[in-house]
Amino acid sequence: MKPPILEMRRITKEFPGVKALDDVSFQVKKGEIHCLVGENGAGKSTLMKVLSGVYPHGEYAGEIVFEGEIQEFGSISDSEQAGIAIIYQELALIPDMAIFENIFLGHEIGNGFTINWNETVKRAGEMLEKVKLDVNPATKVKDLGVGKQQLVEIAKSLSRDVKLLILDEPTSALNEDDVENLFDLLRDIKDQGVTCVLITHKLKEVIEIADAVTVLRDGKTVCTLDAHEGEVSESVLIRHMVGREIEDIYPKRQHQIADEIVLEVNDWTAYDPNIGRTVFESVKFNLRKGEIVGFAGLMGSGRTELARSIFGNPDKYKTSGNVYIKGSKKNFRHPQESIAAGVAYVTEDRKKNGLILIQDVKQNITLANLKEIARRGVVDDNAEIKVATDYKDSLGIKTPSIEQKVENLSGGNQQKVSVAKWLYVQPEILILDEPTRGIDVGAKFEIYTIMNQLVEQGMSIIMVSSELPEILGMSDRVYIVSSGKITGEMPIEEATQENIMHMATLN
Amino acid sequence: MSFVKDIQKVLRQNIREYGMFIALFVIMAIFTITTKGIFISSRNISNLLNQTGYIAVLGVGMTLVIVIRHIDLSVGFLAGFLGAVAAIAMEFWGLPVYVVIPFALALGALAGSITAFLVAQMGIPAFVATLAGWLIYRGAILVVTEGTGTIIISSDAFNALGNGFIPDIPGLNFLPEVHKLTLLLGIITMILFVISEINSRRRKQAYNFEVLPMNVFTLKLVFASLVIAGITWVLSGYNGLSWTVVIVLIVVAIYHFVSTQTVLGRHIYAIGGNPEAAELSGVNVKKITYVVFSSMGMLSALSGMLFASRLQSATTTAGNLFELDAIAAAFVGGVSAAGGVGKVTGAIIGALVMMSLSSGMNLMGIGIAYQYMVRGAVLAAAVIFDVATRSTGK
Ligand SMILES: Nc1ncnc2c1ncn2[C@@H]1O[C@H](COP(=O)(O)OP(=O)(O)OP(=O)(O)O)[C@@H](O)[C@H]1O
Ligand SMILES: [Mg+2]
């Protein structure tokens, strides 16, 4: 029996109107990989923020024992000092700086006044070796993919002599190869004696890597399971998380695909003048009424760019080719035009460009369709409240009030607000870019159910997703994109993980 | 004592909003003491409000400019320039006042849209574009006043904008020392304020939204009513409500309505909160940028005319440092340097703070050199306050 490295006892944390953590106890043994799971808003991130000093001692009740001593962290740097490092989903690297600068940012090597760059580069190289990242330490972070950036983050924390590494949803933006890489690395540093806490919504990963799992629900600890005693399976986890069984997470629908083609894209090429390269080339596809078409591929294959170029081209790509909506030629020049024509686009990154974080839930939901609740340019408050309340109820958005600022919602509930905004536009064509990123199983099921209802009512959906099970479970037809080209198209009956992966890696 | 606790809690949660009132109150109290009451006299307060007018209208426009994450440094000399143009139009071209005013406002809107063109279309940072404007308009004032120097304005109607007062109700003989119409308007305002606050609280409660606890709410109503009553009493004891104050109130009412109740207002704040998300939600960021800068230009024209009217002349130095006071007014009034947050009504309080400082220090006979330093320090303090309260405020 290994001794616990961390014990959080009876932690309670309240926000105005919300009890985010209610008497939570959490124990992590030295040297294990401990997964923390639970629905959106269960309190996972909050618990880790309490631990890492984001919410300083005094703002919560309960006590934290780390390495046998009671800790009262007053700030993040206190917990860092003690050997706790936290890596957030939104990476905290500076894109325009080199890797070695990033790794030692905040604890530069030198005499306290000038920096010893040679030593910095050398040590950075060693750290990169540790995380098995084979790139030049002088590479700028922005030139790395997300997966590699994540490794740089880990290298950064390892360089600080970390004892407990916390990763909050590290894999939601990674493709499968990168996830494998990351997990190999985690096992590696575990062998070196570093303890890990991993927050994730992907239960497969939990089964794969966890030594122990703690489930939170509604701010309370449900249980802690030991993976080596064989009691952990996806259905067990789901039951603990949701409180009920979910048999098939991809709900069935009645297929009512009409022959009518609502969207057709021909010979569509885009060149991005800002980075000076062609982002995709000669793309040709179509979408029929009542159909869900999946766009599979690896991160960075050009699917988001494709979606944005059709949705009013906000990045000002130079495009050639044609887009037809219901047979008439429409090359939109502004999102406004595509919204008016019944096309909506749920962005992949809700914080960066999906939501207005400092505004409240209702203002976010109505933003794209204010004219619906306005008379002669004046917004009708009562109508707005009604709309927002309806969506809050129908999508199950967990928030104390529709006047809560969106930045205070948990990740999954933010995603639901983002979806609600676009549903309220009542589009005919809905483009969903990674619609369930960072969303728990229960909420995923709800979003899939909503998608099914929408197509049954005659809406058509394009779903860009990097999660193959989701593509296979929800699409009627699949296009596979690789390096800016469509490398394959198949009806869902013919699609398998293997043949999609094969085409997704074609060049 | 739960009452005290409630008040503390409300204050802490809304510190951004109440901070400026507290600042204003403290400043006024200090000057009242140091000037042995002269500061709070009817005459001085009336003067103070008239002086505040031309900064307040700039502050209102500036608030929206800062909300959409830009800045406008050119407003001061643009105001001075357009004031001079208005004077020339009246004195040398012989145009009547009712033509000159809309003409100058239109010129202001045009000037603002040129800034917007540079910022939205050409992608030039607003700081640089409007710094260029600052120089250009400064030169322009010198050019138009080159031959004449100071231009004396002879139109009484125009000069009344900055110096005149609303007429009293004729035929009432009681309270001879008091301006009855002002008193009446003050009472009506007070009643409307109380009714609308109560209604809005009821509506919120019906939706189960968070409202102030009853006792704190009552206290707020009583306090606000006392302030309105006090201002009314002080003003009606002198010449009553001035035209400047009337104009400022109309401008604020319009801007408050637009920014809180309309689609346009929503779009402005959405851009401030997250320009990329707003654009992707179908908000036309360019168009809104044009609207906001044009409105700023128009308000600059108004400010310039109020100032010229107050001096009854257009001078070569008109507009000097107005932009500083306007920006300070916006920040004191609670606008956030990060964009997306700030009320136009706050700019009025902010303008009052800045002008009270000038007025009070003048009364105390403090030299202009120290006045600059104090005003600079207040601007810095307002932004520090903004940054420090950003996480706790709502
Ligand atoms: N700063 C805050 N102010 C108010 N409420 C908050 C704040 N931060 C979190 N909450 C609330 O606390 C609860 C727990 O949030 P938390 O972010 O910990 O959830 P989570 O388990 O990490 O969810 P997700 O899987 O969606 O990321 C949610 O109901 C959330 O709305
Ligand atoms: Mg979270």
Side-chain angles (χ1 to χ4, degrees), chain A residues 16 308 311 314 316 334-336 339 345 347 351-356 358-359 362-363 366-368 370 374 377-379 381-382 384-385 401-403 405 421-422, chain B residues 13 203-204 207-210 257 260-264 266-267 269-274 276-287 339-341 390 393-394:
Chain A
R308 287 171 66 109
F311 183 73
K316 307 284 176 255
H334 193 281
Q336 220 175 7
I339 294 168
Y345 171 61
T347 58
K351 284 197 177 160
K352 181 158 164 271
N353 50 29
L355 295 167
I356 303 199
I358 59 171
Q359 293 193 348
K362 71 175 159 41
Q363 287 169 325
T366 56
L367 177 63
L370 277 172
V378 179
V379 178
D381 289 339
N382 292 323
E384 176 170 49
I385 290 165
S401 136
I402 53 171
E403 291 210 316
K405 275 195 205 169
K421 169 168 90 175
W422 289 109
Chain B
Q13 278 179 9
R203 227 180 10 232
K204 288 202 159 199
Y207 288 115
N208 282 325
F209 291 161
E210 216 184 322
F257 178 77
T260 58
Q261 302 292 316
T262 67
V263 174
L264 174 63
R266 285 299 183 78
H267 284 180
Y269 284 83
I271 292 174
N274 185 342
E276 210 189 333
E279 174 97 7
L280 285 173
S281 303
V283 175
N284 194 331
V285 176
K286 265 187 200 165
K287 190 178 108 191
V341 178
R390 200 171 289 162
K394 350 192 241 178

Side-chain angles (χ1 to χ4, degrees), chain A residues 289-444:
Chain A
K289 191 173 165 67
E291 190 180 31
I292 298 182
V293 169
F295 274 70
L298 303 179
M299 309 272 166
S301 55
R303 292 165 304 163
T304 294
E305 290 81 354
L306 175 60
R308 287 171 66 109
S309 73
I310 294 168
F311 183 73
N313 194 9
D315 310 291
K316 307 284 176 255
Y317 300 140
K318 295 208 169 65
T319 56
S320 64
N322 289 308
V323 176
Y324 297 90
I325 306 278
K326 291 185 172 172
S328 64
K329 195 171 139 185
K330 293 257 165 83
N331 294 359
F332 303 118
R333 280 159 311 163
H334 193 281
Q336 220 175 7
E337 294 175 5
S338 36
I339 294 168
V343 183
Y345 171 61
V346 179
T347 58
E348 71 177 326
D349 188 337
R350 53 184 170 253
K351 284 197 177 160
K352 181 158 164 271
N353 50 29
L355 295 167
I356 303 199
L357 293 173
I358 59 171
Q359 293 193 348
D360 64 22
V361 172
K362 71 175 159 41
Q363 287 169 325
N364 271 282
I365 290 179
T366 56
L367 177 63
N369 199 13
L370 277 172
K371 64 175 182 342
E372 190 74 24
I373 48 162
R375 250 167 302 155
R376 279 192 241 103
V378 179
V379 178
D380 177 349
D381 289 339
N382 292 323
E384 176 170 49
I385 290 165
K386 183 166 177 327
V387 168
T389 312
D390 285 352
Y391 280 105
K392 175 184 171 240
D393 295 343
S394 67
L395 300 192
I397 301 171
K398 257 186 230 153
T399 171
S401 136
I402 53 171
E403 291 210 316
Q404 177 75 295
K405 275 195 205 169
V406 170
E407 66 185 351
N408 293 336
L409 300 190
S410 75
N413 285 302
Q414 289 179 347
Q415 180 69 7
K416 289 187 192 171
V417 173
S418 184
V419 170
K421 169 168 90 175
W422 289 109
L423 292 185
Y424 182 50
V425 172
Q426 287 145 10
E428 287 176 60
I429 299 169
L430 180 64
I431 307 175
L432 297 166
D433 201 345
E434 307 287 358
T436 61
R437 179 176 286 177
I439 289 197
D440 69 59
V441 270
K444 262 187 193 168

Side-chain angles (χ1 to χ4, degrees), chain B residues 30-183:
Chain B
I30 291 176
F31 283 133
T32 302
I33 295 166
T34 52
T35 61
K36 302 200 177 64
I38 302 176
F39 182 82
I40 204 76
S41 68
S42 288
R43 191 188 143 86
N44 191 54
I45 291 294
S46 179
N47 260 328
L48 174 65
L49 290 181
N50 280 356
Q51 277 168 17
T52 305
Y54 50 84
I55 294 304
V57 292
L58 286 180
V60 166
M62 193 63 78
T63 300
L64 295 186
V65 172
I66 298 176
V67 161
I68 63 164
R69 304 186 173 191
H70 291 303
I71 191 84
D72 194 339
L73 301 175
S74 67
V75 295
F77 287 125
L78 177 60
F81 171 60
L82 292 174
V85 169
I88 291 170
M90 284 181 292
E91 298 305 315
F92 302 148
W93 307 343
L95 294 178
V97 176
Y98 58 86
V99 175
V100 167
I101 293 178
F103 172 67
L105 293 177
L107 275 186
L110 181 69
S113 65
I114 293 173
T115 312
F117 173 80
L118 294 174
V119 174
Q121 222 84 32
M122 313 290 292
I124 298 173
F127 182 84
V128 178
T130 60
L131 189 59
W134 186 93
L135 281 165
I136 291 168
Y137 297 129
R138 162 139 228 204
I141 301 179
L142 297 178
V143 169
V144 296
T145 56
E146 201 174 22
T148 52
T150 299
I151 305 164
I152 308 290
I153 299 171
S154 54
S155 160
D156 289 337
F158 187 83
N159 288 338
L161 291 179
N163 301 297
F165 296 86
I166 60 170
D168 202 353
I169 310 166
L172 293 181
N173 296 325
F174 64 94
L175 289 175
E177 292 295 294
V178 177
H179 196 272
K180 264 81 68 184
L181 183 55
T182 302
L183 205 58

Side-chain angles (χ1 to χ4, degrees), chain A residues 15 18 20 39-46 55 169 201 404 408-412:
Chain A
F15 297 107
V18 200
E39 288 184 286
N40 297 125
K44 306 178 294 291
S45 299
T46 306
Y55 302 125
E169 297 193 40
H201 286 294
Q404 177 75 295
N408 293 336
L409 300 190
S410 75

